[in-house]
Amino acid sequence: MQAIIPDYRRDLEIRRYPSYVYVLVPLAALVLQAYLPRLLGRFAFMDLPVLVTIYFALNRRSPIHGSILGAVLGMAQDGLTQGAIGIHGIANTVCGFLAASIGIRIVVENNIIRMFLNFLFTLLAGAIVLFVTRILLGLHMQVNWLDEVLRAVGNAVIGLVLFPVLDLTQLRD
Amino acid sequence: MESFLSRYRNLIVLLALLVMQVIGLAVQVRKPAAAAAGVPSPGRDQEDGKSVRLIRLWAAALVTPFERAVHGSGQGLDGLWAKYVDLRHTKDENKDLQKTIDRLRLEQASLIEDARQGQRLQELLKFQQNYIYKTLAAQVIGTSGSSQSHVIYLDKGSEDGLARDMAVITSDGIVGKVRAVFPHSAQVLMINDQTSGAGVVLETTRTRGILRGDAAGHTQVINILADQRIQPGEHVLTAGGDQVFPRGLPVGVVESVARDTERSGFIDIRVKPAAELQRLDEVLVITSMQAHLSAQQQADIKDSEELMGAEAAAEAERKKAAAEMEERLPGLKDPSAPDAAKTPGAVNPDGTPVVPVPATPKPLPARHVDRFSPGAKGEDLPASGGDDTTASPDASSPAIRPKTPPVPSRANPAAPGMPTKPQTHPAKPKTPPAKPQGTGVQ
């Protein structure tokens, strides 16, 4: 029962990583996200920056850390597109904050929960991108929801493999 | 106050980040709106502000070196295999390619003259046509990574001569236009992006429209009034009015025609791009549409023009010499002889129409007439020559005359015992002998 108390869990289970992991993993996510569509074409159903944001937010359990990481990664994503800077930034910021907030309250070691969270947050990120583009910017942008769902599924599957690999890089006491 | 900040620290940071980004979005949206006071043209979007460009530059500088490295290593492995291991048939291919190069050089030499002549004529007619004079090959090293943004990155940038709004093509068709240029890379907005726009024209119906992308990454021509003539399979070309793409480049083929659900009377035409947009590897950037010929090209053209001038002069000399020769030499044709073929309605003295004599040479008269001679006739051989083939029988003629009585011919069975014309000599002339060729019949 003590395991679900937030402060107790936070004190005991905050995961820390070497500083180079905080640099290399997001950078690798950006590079792969930009490069893999060249190989996979229209079948590149993934959003690696969102996935990395969710991972670090869940494991660090720090909403501030998750928000900042999401903002930086999202703005870097926007920098690679022709759209306005901040569209993906806002989406990833919200996802990072919510993931960290949830990570404080629930056990995130379970693979089913991880898959579900990845699926949910990826869909949420797509919805926020649509909201910002259509409502805040007033741009007419069509959305293919099937692609969004497939991207969420892709992220859930990739997370199933990626999260245990990233777990290996955490610092042990 | 301190307790409030510490208690709501997470929310405050979140709100600060969101507000900062929303303000940034508002600034980006406001600037293009203010700048768009002029007449917007399809395919020309607004340039980024300095701060936005800086963020794009950082993002590109962060990502493109790794993409270039990954792309280069992949190509290096491919090259290692292709250049050093898999060399079967290389010599034969080299020979074939060398032959092709030789042939193409000859063809190019003639085509370049035709092209220059065509351009001179179009200049005379004040045609506003752009020509592709210079292209730069570039490798595609990455994408935007977003499904909503169909953008690719090239490994060439401003230091290689690229600039904004340059057209990007492949040998199959157009790809997009350069949207942002960095020192060593460039961002290309593809034609299947929702924010892109290119002026196009349908090849057969000459209907003009704007090409843009949709959410699924398909290309479509919008703002087209319903027209029954537009059918799938029609080719789509660039219209040339957008100041980006030269006129007449292939864009794609009409894939389907559907009614516009939002506006009645309009149709949406889905176009299958000619270029394989999902699998681009190498592209060409049109860096110049003005005539900037290299020194070598100018020298080649000068040589070609001199060669053509010399050939024309030689041809004129030949014609002049032939004319002089024609004047000096006597004609082979008798100028006094009328040409029967050219005088319709000519008649013989007996009233029969003149029949043109075929131009066949008259056979020479036989020295010893026999039954095989032209005009020979059964028993009265000596007397049956032509009018100018006077028979002169000699001692040798009976030797070749048939000694046996004539055998009734199958062709004439009703007259047994009657002398018959030898069947071996069917070519007895029934008409008077022809006169010498060319004289005609009077």
Side-chain angles (χ1 to χ4, degrees), chain A residues 33-34 81-83 85 142 151, chain B residues 28 56 67 143 145 147 149:
Chain A
Q33 183 66 34
T81 70
Q82 88 286 9
I85 305 290
Q142 300 171 347
R151 184 172 302 106
Chain B
Q28 292 172 68
R56 292 199 198 286
E67 287 177 335
T143 69
S147 62
S149 169

Side-chain angles (χ1 to χ4, degrees), chain A residues 10 27 30-31 33-35 37-42 46 63-64 67-68 71 75-90 93-94 97 129 132 136-137 140-144 147-148 151, chain B residues 9-11 13-14 17-18 21-22 25 28-29 52 55-56 59-60 62-63 66-67 70-71 140-149 151 153 179 187 189 193-195 214-216 218 262 278-281:
Chain A
R10 180 183 172 81
L27 186 60
L30 280 174
V31 171
Q33 183 66 34
Y35 186 76
R38 279 204 64 233
L39 305 177
L40 303 176
R42 293 191 58 221
M46 58 188 173
I64 293 176
S67 301
I68 293 174
M75 288 171 74
Q77 265 186 293
D78 288 325
L80 294 174
T81 70
Q82 88 286 9
I85 305 290
I87 297 175
H88 287 88
I90 291 174
T93 302
V94 174
F97 180 85
V129 166
V132 171
L136 293 187
L137 298 179
H140 178 71
M141 188 184 79
Q142 300 171 347
V143 171
N144 189 348
D147 279 359
E148 297 297 327
R151 184 172 302 106
Chain B
R9 188 178 55 181
N10 294 342
L11 274 178
V13 171
L14 173 68
L17 286 170
L18 291 180
Q21 292 180 84
V22 170
L25 284 174
Q28 292 172 68
V29 173
V52 174
I55 294 175
R56 292 199 198 286
L62 202 66
V63 171
F66 294 100
E67 287 177 335
V70 172
H71 184 76
V140 179
I141 55 172
T143 69
S144 70
S146 170
S147 62
Q148 300 294 340
S149 169
V151 163
Y153 279 83
R179 190 188 174 278
Q187 187 189 61
L189 183 66
D193 189 86
Q194 292 188 60
T195 60
D214 63 6
H218 299 124
E262 296 176 356
Q278 300 294 337
R279 298 195 179 280
L280 289 171
D281 199 26

Side-chain angles (χ1 to χ4, degrees), chain B residues 166-233:
Chain B
M166 284 180 172
V168 181
I169 62 172
T170 66
S171 57
D172 298 323
I174 64 170
V175 171
K177 64 167 188 172
V178 176
R179 190 188 174 278
V181 183
F182 310 114
H184 301 289
S185 61
Q187 187 189 61
V188 175
L189 183 66
M190 292 203 289
I191 56 173
N192 61 344
D193 189 86
Q194 292 188 60
T195 60
S196 74
V200 295
V201 60
L202 303 183
E203 189 179 34
T204 309
T205 58
R206 310 309 295 175
T207 307
R208 287 172 179 264
I210 298 172
L211 184 83
R212 53 171 287 186
D214 63 6
H218 299 124
T219 48
Q220 55 183 2
V221 184
I222 57 171
N223 296 336
I224 300 283
L225 283 169
D227 190 340
Q228 296 289 335
R229 296 174 301 162
I230 300 172
Q231 297 293 332

Side-chain angles (χ1 to χ4, degrees), chain A residues 97-158:
Chain A
F97 180 85
L98 291 178
S101 303
I102 289 175
I104 294 170
R105 289 170 174 79
I106 64 172
V107 178
V108 292
E109 307 300 323
N110 190 314
N111 283 333
I112 303 294
I113 292 176
R114 281 180 166 180
M115 277 185 71
F116 179 72
L117 289 177
N118 283 334
F119 179 82
L120 206 64
F121 282 124
T122 308
L123 269 188
L124 178 68
I128 294 173
V129 166
L130 182 64
F131 171 80
V132 171
T133 309
R134 280 197 175 173
I135 307 299
L136 293 187
L137 298 179
L139 299 176
H140 178 71
M141 188 184 79
Q142 300 171 347
V143 171
N144 189 348
W145 281 107
L146 179 63
D147 279 359
E148 297 297 327
V149 171
L150 288 174
R151 184 172 302 106
V153 171
N155 259 15
V157 173
I158 293 170

